[in-house]
Amino acid sequence: MKRRVLITGGAGFIGSHLCDFLIEKGHRVICIDNLITGSLSNIKHLLKNKNFKFIKHDVTKYININEKIGYVLHFASPASPVDYLRYPIKTLKVGSLGTHNALGLAKAKKAKFLLASTSEVYGDPLIHPQKENYYGNVNPVGPRGVYDEAKRFAEAITMAYHRKHKIDTRIARIFNTYGERMRKDDGRAIPNFLSQTIRNKPLTVYGNGSQTRSFCYISDMVNGIYNLILSENIHTPVNIGNPNEVSILTLAKIIIRLTNSTSKIVYRTLPADDPKVRRPDIALAKSKLRWKPKVDLKEGLMKTIDYFKNQ
Ligand code: NAD
Ligand code: UDP
């Protein structure tokens, strides 16, 4: 697979780790990003690499590339609830128009295409854990609808390009991922709790903290996505995540313990439509991708804590 890879959203958290991984594997990487929630600091170490090219561009506008491309990986989109609530229309546009443009590019270049979808397509799930054949429970007109519906549309148009134009597509349903390069102010639970403990401020648990999430460390996520890119003939969505489920209150307590912090916990209003539970069923990824996560929560958090302390 030593072909040129184009990544949209490559200056973001997951995208920049993918850029590193692919360069390391010997690929040439073109990263397209408008830096709305990403940062050049995530890729600055790559800017002088001859196998890496950065293009500042909004992918909701036509994407013009003159080179051959073997793979288009579409990661551009605000991903933190705080970010997509700040940019509701840009989030809808990047999931719809941006995905359309990225698919159009893959079609023109006869490239393989991978969509970074999300566990949010399951909404506030009524089936637990979530298997790929669950259609979800999404409120289209709630605040999170801008992200959830954009990603559901993105999945639909990806399947349509596969069926109609025979594009070789993959859909990764990514569950909560964490690690180095998350912005300390991105508003997600782990960056919030880490910046709060480091500053000895109280940890803000929303609701009573009984809602659950299952957190996957970034290196496991990148390996899973890479295996999905290389896989043959899996066009329907594949869950990628770590099935180790914890309540948000437990997560807050673990972070206080690992950082030896004196921070207390304070309770804040639970945001609208906040999913009550979330855990991936990863049987499909295990069997078809021969992949499973290796980094446990404590180990991943310790690496992330080191990174946040150095920021
Ligand atoms: P991120 O915000 O760090 O990265 C997203 C990147 O996309 C940013 O660099 C941003 O500037 C860029 N971007 C946004 N709109 C753009 C546009 N119109 N044109 C060009 N670039 C644009 O978020 P992340 O956590 O790295 O998420 C990356 C992808 O993975 C997203 O598509 C997200 O939906 C998906 N995902 C992430 C998680 C997670 O837990 N991190 C979970 C599920 C899905
Ligand atoms: N959360 C919290 N305190 C915070 C940030 C988030 O209790 O400071 C909760 C949030 O309400 C949700 C969970 O943590 O139930 C995970 O939130 P995150 O924003 O990380 O992502 P989500 O999984 O909701 O997309």
Side-chain angles (χ1 to χ4, degrees):
M1 184 203 155
K2 296 282 186 272
R3 285 195 274 168
R4 193 175 284 122
V5 185
L6 182 140
I7 310 184
T8 74
F13 159 53
I14 300 181
S16 65
H17 284 279
L18 260 173
C19 289
D20 285 345
F21 186 93
L22 292 165
I23 292 274
E24 188 66 28
K25 291 267 177 204
H27 296 282
R28 304 183 68 179
V29 173
I30 300 175
C31 161
I32 300 192
D33 202 299
N34 66 353
L35 304 177
I36 186 175
T37 56
S39 168
L40 273 186
S41 64
N42 290 337
I43 50 166
K44 66 174 183 304
H45 56 288
L46 294 174
L47 292 174
K48 289 203 172 128
N49 189 313
K50 65 175 181 7
N51 288 325
F52 183 79
K53 180 150 116 189
F54 172 67
I55 301 172
K56 185 162 186 267
H57 179 69
D58 178 345
V59 297
T60 66
K61 311 271 174 3
Y62 185 81
I63 308 169
N64 191 10
I65 301 287
N66 293 323
E67 297 151 83
K68 283 189 179 170
I69 291 168
Y71 298 85
V72 174
L73 314 181
H74 182 42
F75 279 73
S77 171
S80 156
V82 168
D83 287 341
Y84 59 74
L85 296 180
R86 186 180 299 144
Y87 303 113
I89 297 170
K90 288 185 191 302
T91 301
L92 280 158
K93 284 173 78 173
V94 74
S96 52
L97 307 178
T99 307
H100 185 211
N101 286 336
L103 282 161
L105 179 71
K107 178 168 164 261
K109 301 289 177 185
K110 298 187 173 44
K112 204 162 171 176
F113 177 88
L114 181 137
L115 171 70
S117 187
T118 169
S119 52
E120 279 281 328
V121 300
Y122 301 120
D124 187 5
L126 304 176
I127 301 279
H128 192 66
Q130 292 76 55
K131 250 179 160 14
E132 290 86 348
N133 61 7
Y134 176 46
Y135 297 158
N137 178 39
V138 168
N139 175 2
V141 295
R144 298 173 85 104
V146 297
Y147 181 67
D148 304 11
E149 294 297 2
K151 291 290 188 181
R152 289 170 69 98
F153 173 89
E155 290 196 3
I157 194 172
T158 299
M159 289 307 296
Y161 264 69
H162 169 64
R163 293 190 181 112
K164 176 81 184 166
H165 295 308
K166 313 285 176 238
I167 308 292
D168 193 3
T169 55
R170 301 287 179 278
I171 298 174
R173 285 195 182 144
I174 299 172
F175 281 65
N176 294 65
T177 304
Y178 70 100
E180 297 87 333
R181 298 189 193 149
M182 292 185 101
R183 288 188 347 257
K184 63 180 187 317
D185 63 347
D186 94 352
R188 289 182 266 198
I190 289 180
N192 268 10
F193 292 167
L194 291 184
S195 1
Q196 287 160 348
T197 49
I198 287 166
R199 288 182 287 128
N200 279 319
K201 293 263 167 42
L203 275 69
T204 52
V205 166
Y206 302 158
N208 62 11
S210 62
Q211 70 273 29
T212 66
R213 295 293 185 273
S214 308
F215 293 97
C216 182
Y217 183 63
I218 183 66
S219 58
D220 283 332
M221 180 54 57
V222 167
N223 279 310
I225 288 165
Y226 190 65
N227 285 11
L228 182 57
I229 299 168
L230 294 186
S231 66
E232 296 293 327
N233 297 320
I234 312 177
H235 304 295
T236 53
V238 180
N239 288 341
I240 306 187
N242 189 322
N244 176 24
E245 183 182 9
V246 289
S247 77
I248 293 301
L249 183 59
T250 303
L251 173 73
K253 289 179 178 166
I254 292 173
I255 288 179
I256 289 175
R257 200 177 65 237
L258 293 180
T259 50
N260 293 317
S261 167
T262 55
S263 290
K264 299 276 179 284
I265 289 172
V266 291
Y267 295 90
R268 298 282 179 256
T269 312
L270 188 67
D273 299 329
D274 197 293
K276 286 181 265 313
V277 289
R278 182 181 289 159
R279 170 154 60 104
D281 179 320
I282 58 165
L284 188 64
K286 276 184 173 166
S287 71
K288 297 276 187 191
L289 309 183
R290 299 188 176 282
W291 169 87
K292 61 174 193 247
K294 293 187 184 133
V295 181
D296 72 20
L297 185 59
K298 184 178 167 203
E299 186 187 347
L301 282 175
M302 289 310 294
K303 291 175 197 263
T304 314
I305 289 166
D306 280 349
Y307 172 81
F308 272 73
K309 281 190 173 156
N310 288 326
Q311 288 305 294

